[in-house]
Amino acid sequence: MKAHLQGVTDTRLRPRIKTQAVVGSALVMELAQMGSLNALSQTEGNCFWKEWITDSVLPSADTIGRVFNRIDVCALRLILKHVYSRLKRNKALRPLFGDRLFAVIIDGHESSASYLRCCPDCLQREIKTASGIKIQYYHRHVTAVLLCEGFILPLDLEMQRPGEDEVAVAIRLLERLFLEYPRAFDMVMADGLYARAPFFKKVVAHGKHVIAVLKDDRRDLICDAMGIFTQEQPMVVREKCRTRQYWDVEQMTSWPQFGNVRVVRSLETTARKQQKTGKEEESVSDWMWVTTLPKTLLGTEAFIEMAHKRWDIENKGFNELVTYWHADHLYTHTRTAIEGFWLTTLLAYNLFHAFINGNLKPVIRAMYTKAFIARALAQELCCLKKRRNRSP
Ligand SMILES: [Zn+2]
């Protein structure tokens, strides 16, 4: 990893502290899930830093913030790509279905919002409050994660610029993915916002398939599909408390801006007994997707299982990154710094999960939570400091 950190630069003219020392320090802070540059600076006396930053000292919180304002984010992306390549070469990445069919999930995420603090690259929106309409400043980016058996692997992200649409950002991100990860995935999965012709055309033009949630935006397609579904007998799967009904139609022609598509619907009815009243109540979950993926590649049941995995980017991705990895913390408020810290967090997340999945025996993995292992890493920094202080 040290060799790859050497490739990261920034635009300072006469740097006293090397960029690799700054990024290496931030990476350790992320790995230890500290979420604070000041907390990191308190580990300054730790003998670990002599081994990790050989010809320098732990940079101050101010220096790390200043350097991330000017950092070359492309070099951070190259390290993320290197981690992916190593995992792929070591056969640590397995698809969910079959020998191939790797999927990339694309989704937007708002990383910060404020009425007071802003920078030239902040996005703006009007919010109605009790004291009138206020301008809120925020940052948002689109992230791509690779869906693998057992875990997800974030690959890249793209920041949204003022006046830009989220789908346009996703298309820019996809263009880079097609260039840097041409054989890493076979399909792209996204939510209802991405069921648009330019997005579908971009994915298909690169020989990939696409799955998107079907919402009211594509009313013609929904109406035509529902018309066909009412005439067709659904596939029915009955489980203990749940009944699933599936419809699956190919060669739908109701989306002239794009072309023929397949539409899949899953209607799930679950019976639950209310704890308070003891009465049984039914909850209904109705999902529809539009896709270019033919039935010959993925049958109806496998398709629905795969399509529901889109939630992994929320449940295993953003939720964990924000709650445990402090990914939304604004270390420095500039677009470059936000992008740089997010990419460093994704790198730490990938290294951590590669270690958990590749280096720990299943019995150890089952014994300790991920949060416990992360805390053990953070404690190691403090323990080393104590040991050094005890010995003369
Ligand atoms: Zn800003």
Side-chain angles (χ1 to χ4, degrees), residues 119 122 139 333:
C119 71
C122 262
H139 281 275
H333 190 158

Side-chain angles (χ1 to χ4, degrees), residues 157-187:
L157 64 83
E158 183 68 27
M159 299 294 287
Q160 190 168 339
R161 296 168 189 163
E164 216 177 18
D165 170 38
E166 186 180 315
V167 176
V169 183
I171 289 175
R172 203 166 61 239
L173 174 62
L174 277 178
E175 282 167 352
R176 196 163 58 238
L177 286 179
F178 292 137
L179 203 66
E180 299 293 337
Y181 300 88
R183 286 191 288 276
F185 58 98
D186 312 284
M187 69 177 94

